[in-house]
Amino acid sequence: MAIFVTGGTGYLGSYLVAGLLTGHRDRLNLLVRAKSEQEARERLWQSLQLHLGFPEFSEYLNTRVTIFRGELATERFGLSDDDYHALVDTTNSLIHCAASLNRKSEKQCLNVNLRGALEVIQLARRAQNRNGVLRYSHVSTVAVAGKRQNEVVTEDASIDWSRSDYDPYARTKKFGEHMVHQLLPDVPRTIFRPAIVMGDSRRAETSQFDMVQAFDVLARFPVLPLRPDDRVDIVPANYVAKAIVTIHQKPEPAHGIYHLSSGESSQTYREITTALAAAGRWRRPTYVPSFGKPFSAMVERLAHGNGSVGRGASLLKVFWPYLDWNTVFDNSRVVTELGEAPAKFSTYAYALLKFSRENKFRYPAKPWPAAAPAVEKTVVAGKAHA
């Protein structure tokens, strides 16, 4: 029996897969979008090399991983009947991490975050009816709380259907949670809501740069249209993954919903920029909250440019509502469950920014080794289902 994981080739998903492989003994059923068995393996290597060397990766791949080549938002993932039945028969818990983070595209969010989530829920339903499911873990987001301002939000007070949402991403993730509760009432289930996931508190390397680029643009401005004492809820990926993996494996977690956040310990913009200025030996910015309109116009101009600054400015436009809401999400549940709090962003922010700038906001990925052995078909399910 195995844990079915979606999103394993993504940033947070890579942390989950690596954590399950290195810290536990379970087999993993991984859904991977690929046209061939070798492409699927190479996609996993591109993702997991942030955490594993190739010999260790190859050993896990050949002994504990079964790849199902399919599409999340396609009926039964586009698998053949035999492969889908094999997936149902061998799955006894699920972690659904895959999602579209495209906050601009309602179509993509609907297809991936709702249509895809429904397919995973249906798999859980069939696995529950077949052999029983130990746990269904659903990775959501604190953005389901909708439009907020100057608040500390608890897990049970997050969903308020009368509130407007910031974007299609937040809206579809909120409905995704609703589907889990409605369609899997008899399955042990846990909802995880990460805040802004950025970087790793243990090392500078990252393979996810969207929020880093947005912060890079902010760090370059001498004047910021922000309130310096507003807090921003940022949490490192290694803490988020540890929480999901640890709680997923518990027979009886204390709660059904967890904020994976920095909570009341979230730092202010003043604290973060002071730490960055000290580490980088540059001047601290001046905060002028009334500078909103000129700042927006400047970001708009930069967003039409090329290079990392242009892309960072376009991302800053998208993420701005989440940087300006001065809202944090109570994390006392997960801190109690794990017995530790997440590292403060200021302790690793400069190293993260330095690595990202030096590598032009691209992860220096290693290719599949030329001397690596051929694909072992016995451990891969899925035939020609891209």
Side-chain angles (χ1 to χ4, degrees):
M1 303 302 290
I3 303 173
F4 176 72
V5 183
T6 68
T9 57
Y11 179 59
L12 180 57
S14 75
Y15 277 83
L16 299 180
V17 172
L20 290 167
L21 289 174
T22 59
H24 301 272
R25 297 182 178 179
D26 306 82
R27 292 188 61 84
L28 302 183
N29 288 336
L30 303 183
L31 183 68
V32 179
R33 186 177 69 253
K35 294 181 180 180
S36 68
E37 296 170 359
Q38 183 59 25
E39 182 187 345
R41 287 184 160 222
E42 289 180 9
R43 288 198 67 203
L44 279 174
W45 167 235
Q46 291 290 305
S47 174
L48 291 174
Q49 64 184 253
L50 185 64
H51 314 279
L52 306 171
F54 189 80
E56 188 180 14
F57 163 80
S58 183
E59 175 67 18
Y60 285 134
L61 191 62
N62 290 320
T63 59
R64 288 176 51 195
V65 170
T66 302
I67 297 174
F68 290 84
R69 289 187 289 113
E71 288 279 356
L72 182 69
T74 301
E75 184 176 1
R76 297 192 176 194
F77 309 124
L79 299 173
S80 68
D81 287 345
D82 287 346
D83 289 341
Y84 189 79
H85 291 152
L87 179 59
V88 172
D89 290 344
T90 59
T91 294
N92 67 352
S93 76
L94 305 90
I95 302 178
H96 179 38
C97 183
S100 170
L101 303 178
N102 189 338
R103 289 169 165 82
K104 295 180 180 179
S105 174
E106 184 168 5
K107 177 182 178 181
Q108 190 168 345
C109 286
L110 285 169
N111 286 342
V112 177
N113 300 345
L114 289 184
R115 180 73 178 86
L118 182 59
E119 284 299 323
V120 181
I121 290 170
Q122 288 177 323
L123 171 63
R125 177 77 273 149
R126 290 165 180 141
Q128 170 74 354
N129 294 342
R130 180 68 171 170
N131 295 307
V133 168
L134 299 175
R135 181 157 306 282
Y136 180 97
S137 290
H138 186 86
V139 182
S140 184
T141 170
V142 296
V144 299
K147 292 189 175 181
R148 304 270 179 166
Q149 197 73 38
N150 309 321
E151 293 186 51
V152 176
V153 183
T154 63
E155 285 90 346
D156 295 335
S158 288
I159 300 293
D160 179 351
W161 292 95
S162 66
R163 288 182 184 268
S164 297
D165 302 300
Y166 279 117
D167 49 40
Y169 169 70
R171 190 173 309 118
T172 53
K173 295 297 280 184
K174 181 168 69 176
F175 273 91
E177 286 192 24
H178 184 65
M179 289 194 301
V180 172
H181 292 304
Q182 293 296 310
L183 301 178
L184 298 175
D186 57 332
V187 174
R189 57 197 184 278
T190 309
I191 303 293
F192 295 102
R193 296 180 185 145
I196 297 173
V197 180
M198 189 157 44
D200 187 316
S201 62
R202 305 163 303 178
R203 60 188 178 210
E205 293 81 7
T206 185
S207 59
Q208 209 287 337
F209 297 99
D210 284 358
M211 280 300 300
V212 183
Q213 282 191 270
F215 264 83
D216 175 59
V217 172
L218 285 177
R220 294 177 185 276
F221 283 115
V223 178
L224 294 177
L226 294 164
R227 296 176 295 271
D229 294 319
D230 277 8
R231 291 183 289 181
V232 57
D233 201 327
I234 299 172
V235 64
N238 53 300
Y239 185 85
V240 171
K242 181 178 181 179
I244 295 171
V245 169
T246 301
I247 295 171
H248 180 81
Q249 298 288 55
K250 287 195 171 188
E252 295 184 8
H255 303 279
I257 305 173
Y258 292 88
H259 283 160
L260 308 183
S261 60
S262 289
E264 295 273 19
S265 297
S266 297
Q267 294 182 285
T268 65
Y269 284 108
R270 191 196 309 275
E271 290 173 319
I272 294 171
T273 54
T274 297
L276 282 172
R281 298 182 180 180
W282 60 63
R283 293 185 62 181
R284 289 181 295 174
T286 300
Y287 288 90
V288 184
S290 61
F291 190 55
K293 287 186 177 179
F295 182 84
S296 295
M298 187 181 302
V299 169
E300 184 69 36
R301 287 197 300 273
L302 290 174
H304 294 291
N306 297 320
S308 61
V309 174
R311 175 165 168 74
S314 64
L315 289 167
L316 184 58
K317 288 171 55 181
V318 174
F319 291 125
W320 186 255
Y322 299 103
L323 302 177
D324 192 39
W325 63 349
N326 190 33
T327 295
V328 299
F329 298 85
D330 180 71
N331 69 349
S332 55
R333 288 182 179 180
V334 71
V335 170
T336 299
E337 196 83 68
L338 295 187
E340 64 177 290
K344 292 182 180 296
F345 183 57
S346 64
T347 63
Y348 65 93
Y350 178 73
L352 172 66
L353 191 58
K354 184 173 183 289
F355 170 83
S356 301
R357 286 176 173 176
E358 289 176 349
N359 288 279
K360 296 180 170 47
F361 300 93
R362 292 180 180 273
Y363 180 68
K366 306 179 188 72
W368 185 272
V375 168
E376 297 180 24
K377 296 184 179 180
T378 56
V379 300
V380 181
K383 298 174 183 176
H385 308 285

